[in-house]
């Protein structure tokens, strides 16, 4: 376990301790390196937990690294989503740090040069969504048509656009029922991004 006298410290943090099922969970992994130390190679293992799904492709780094006291800090943001209610125990993350450039004739760093740096663990309370609710987040919806007047048997295109922060991929295909109309629909187009607010995205479908 790292102490304040260690050359390397690893901390695991979240914005809060309670989340809803499906809500985005941003884990911040903070790696602290004492000034004056040298690193030649580094590997890391993401923190793991049962019923916690890592949203691959959304890991980001806080740039640039910042100086805090005797350390330089670099943070990695890892995005997760809880799949089940209850208490989730997040196991510590691990960094393997090579501090000496001692290489074999084949060019590989000698494994004996690696130091293991272990973070703290975390407990999160995952709450169920309210009845008949399957989304968690904050969303805006806009509905538009390409024309307000038309002739019988002539098509009208209706478009639904939703954007916001949350598990937008769980919206699915929205049913549309209009008396006296034959309805055809395209597959929804869903886009995701990772912003300062967390997991964001947009949803668009046309009929």
């Amino acid at each position: 376990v790292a102490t304040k006298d260690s050359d390397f410290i690893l901390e695991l943090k979240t914005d809060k301790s309670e989340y809803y099922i499906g809500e985005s969970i941003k884990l911040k992994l903070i790696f602290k390196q004492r000034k004056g130390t040298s690193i030649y190679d580094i590997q890391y293992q993401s923190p793991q937990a049962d019923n916690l799904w890592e949203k691959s492709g959304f890991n980001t780094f806080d740039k640039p690294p910042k100086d805090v006291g005797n350390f330089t800090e670099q943070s990695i943001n890892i995005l997760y989503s809880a799949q089940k209610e209850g208490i989730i125990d997040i196991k510590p993350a691990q960094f393997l740090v090579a501090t000496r450039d001692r290489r074999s004739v084949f060019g590989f760093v000698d494994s004996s040069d690696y130091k293991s740096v272990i973070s703290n663990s975390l407990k999160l309370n995952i709450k169920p969504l309210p009845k008949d609710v399957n989304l968690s987040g904050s969303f805006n919806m806009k509905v538009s048509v390409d024309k307000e007047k038309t002739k019988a048997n002539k098509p009208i295109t209706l478009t639904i656009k939703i954007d916001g922060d949350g598990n937008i991929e769980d919206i699915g295909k929205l049913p549309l029922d209009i008396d006296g109309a034959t309805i055809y629909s395209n597959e929804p187009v869903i886009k995701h991004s990772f912003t300062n607010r967390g997991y964001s995205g947009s949803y668009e479908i046309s009929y």
Side-chain angles (χ1 to χ4, degrees), residues 6-25:
S6 302
D7 288 334
F8 307 105
I9 298 173
L10 193 58
E11 294 182 359
L12 186 59
K13 294 183 177 181
T14 56
D15 296 332
K16 52 187 180 179
S17 60
E18 290 189 339
Y19 295 84
Y20 285 103
I21 292 175
E23 184 179 359
S24 295
I25 301 170

Side-chain angles (χ1 to χ4, degrees), residues 91-111:
K91 299 177 178 64
Q94 181 182 23
F95 273 30
L96 295 176
V97 179
T99 56
R100 298 192 305 276
D101 192 14
R102 186 165 139 194
R103 300 176 181 269
S104 70
V105 293
F106 300 105
F108 298 109
V109 177
D110 189 333
S111 61

Side-chain angles (χ1 to χ4, degrees), residues 164-197:
D165 306 326
N167 57 327
I168 201 165
E169 72 277 4
D170 291 333
I171 292 177
K173 202 167 185 177
L174 299 174
L176 190 64
D177 186 11
I178 301 176
D179 290 341
T182 301
I183 299 174
Y184 304 93
S185 66
N186 298 315
E187 290 299 316
V189 177
I190 301 174
K191 298 179 181 179
H192 309 99
S193 62
F194 188 43
T195 68
N196 291 333
R197 300 188 306 273

Side-chain angles (χ1 to χ4, degrees), residues 10-190:
L10 193 58
E11 294 182 359
L12 186 59
K13 294 183 177 181
T14 56
D15 296 332
K16 52 187 180 179
S17 60
E18 290 189 339
Y19 295 84
Y20 285 103
I21 292 175
E23 184 179 359
S24 295
I25 301 170
K26 184 173 74 173
L27 292 182
K28 184 179 286 290
L29 199 54
I30 305 171
F31 178 67
K32 300 180 180 182
Q33 177 184 351
R34 187 176 296 277
K35 295 176 182 177
T37 59
S38 298
I39 293 178
Y40 294 94
D41 189 38
I42 188 167
Q43 302 172 10
Y44 85 94
Q45 177 180 336
S46 299
Q48 302 294 319
D50 293 336
N51 300 312
L52 199 64
W53 172 55
E54 182 177 351
K55 296 186 176 182
S56 59
F58 290 95
N59 293 357
T60 61
F61 291 84
D62 289 346
K63 295 180 180 180
K66 59 182 180 181
D67 292 335
V68 180
N70 295 323
F71 291 87
T72 299
E73 293 186 1
Q74 175 70 71
S75 297
I76 304 173
N77 301 300
I78 309 173
L79 205 61
Y80 291 87
S81 178
Q83 306 299 300
K84 187 177 179 181
E85 66 179 279
I87 301 298
I88 287 183
D89 293 306
I90 301 179
K91 299 177 178 64
Q94 181 182 23
F95 273 30
L96 295 176
V97 179
T99 56
R100 298 192 305 276
D101 192 14
R102 186 165 139 194
R103 300 176 181 269
S104 70
V105 293
F106 300 105
F108 298 109
V109 177
D110 189 333
S111 61
S112 63
D113 290 333
Y114 281 89
K115 295 181 179 179
S116 178
V117 185
I118 308 295
S119 77
N120 55 297
S121 59
L122 288 176
K123 283 185 180 292
L124 300 180
N125 181 27
I126 308 302
K127 300 182 291 185
L129 289 168
K131 186 179 179 181
D132 298 325
V133 173
N134 61 2
L135 294 176
S136 175
S138 176
F139 304 98
N140 300 305
M141 182 169 68
K142 180 180 179 181
V143 180
S144 62
V145 292
D146 65 339
K147 58 179 73 76
E148 295 183 357
K149 294 182 179 180
T150 190
K151 296 180 180 180
N153 299 318
K154 294 295 183 178
I156 294 177
T157 299
L158 182 146
T159 301
I160 299 175
K161 295 181 180 180
I162 302 172
D163 61 71
D165 306 326
N167 57 327
I168 201 165
E169 72 277 4
D170 291 333
I171 292 177
K173 202 167 185 177
L174 299 174
L176 190 64
D177 186 11
I178 301 176
D179 290 341
T182 301
I183 299 174
Y184 304 93
S185 66
N186 298 315
E187 290 299 316
V189 177
I190 301 174

